[in-house]
Amino acid sequence: MFRYALLRTVLDPLLAVAGPAGLVRLEFLPRAWEYHTHAHAVVRALQAAENRALVAAGGADGGAAVAAPPEIHEDADAFNELRDQLAEYFTGQRATFTVSLDPHGTPFQMKVWNALSRIPYGKLRTYGQLARAIRQPTATRAVGQAAGHNPLPILVPCHRLVGKGGSLVGFAGGITTKARLLRLEGHTLGDAERIEEPRLF
């Protein structure tokens, strides 16, 4: 059983999709009226990936469907906790989230997303630093690609990832949204395309 809802926030509307084990997708959705279509597409993609994995593992023959289509329903009440925690975050009253997450990705993507989750509120890391943190220092480009496929932005804080020298690069919600999130966490940007962590002196 999957549930979904459109969440209105101070940024773009967000599509939230959750499965039995937790939230699987939080997606910026400027064209809010498309949220029903997007939610069903998310679930179909998850099912297709699961079916491919089962076939590859020998769990079913390659020509047959290996799982019945999952149920999916709109259910705004299922996301009350997430809605409350996002509201607290956007008003500066929350630095971490406690909702259950269930991201789906390759082993490398999961490693990158786990490393992103360990970047503290208000701090920054470069792609190179994150590559070294997962002990794959030559994988800077792959780290960027994995971050770009992060299914749970804000909650898995890929907005805290910047280019060498603090350049603002890459974010599914757009650079303007990335800058707004970083300003919210205390970074001073002005009109610059680069960012530095706040300094007292």
Side-chain angles (χ1 to χ4, degrees):
M1 167 75 77
F2 286 84
R3 294 179 172 84
Y4 70 95
L6 185 70
L7 309 181
R8 306 282 181 177
T9 74
V10 295
L11 300 179
D12 287 331
L14 295 169
L15 169 66
V17 182
L23 196 69
V24 297
R25 182 67 61 89
L26 189 66
E27 180 179 337
F28 292 97
L29 205 63
R31 295 186 295 274
W33 62 88
E34 297 180 347
Y35 76 102
H36 297 288
T37 303
H38 275 261
H40 284 79
V42 165
V43 174
R44 284 196 303 271
L46 289 173
Q47 183 187 28
E50 181 181 346
N51 287 349
R52 286 192 298 271
L54 286 172
V55 169
D61 65 67
V66 296
E71 292 185 54
I72 176 168
H73 300 286
E74 184 173 10
D75 184 355
D77 291 340
F79 299 94
N80 286 339
E81 182 181 8
L82 173 63
R83 188 180 290 105
D84 290 345
Q85 291 193 17
L86 285 170
E88 291 168 358
Y89 171 78
F90 287 131
T91 54
Q93 300 175 64
R94 174 175 289 273
T96 59
F97 296 91
T98 60
V99 293
S100 298
L101 307 181
D102 185 28
H104 295 250
T106 67
F108 180 80
Q109 287 174 328
M110 295 296 291
K111 187 183 295 187
V112 170
W113 300 339
N114 286 334
L116 284 170
S117 295
R118 292 192 291 272
I119 303 176
Y121 180 95
K123 299 296 183 183
L124 302 175
R125 298 290 184 273
T126 66
Y127 294 94
Q129 287 173 325
L130 204 71
R132 291 191 291 275
I134 63 171
R135 299 184 179 181
Q136 294 186 239
T138 62
T140 301
R141 186 181 297 275
V143 163
Q145 291 173 342
H149 287 92
N150 171 22
L152 297 166
I154 303 176
L155 309 180
V156 176
C158 54
H159 60 279
R160 297 174 191 156
L161 200 58
V162 296
K164 189 175 182 179
S167 57
L168 293 182
V169 291
F171 187 65
I175 296 300
T176 299
T177 297
K178 181 171 185 170
R180 290 179 69 184
L181 291 170
L182 292 175
R183 286 191 188 98
L184 174 68
E185 296 188 10
H187 298 282
T188 303
L189 280 162
D191 295 324
E193 295 181 354
R194 306 172 80 82
I195 186 167
E196 293 183 3
E197 295 193 41
R199 298 178 181 178
L200 294 178
F201 303 101

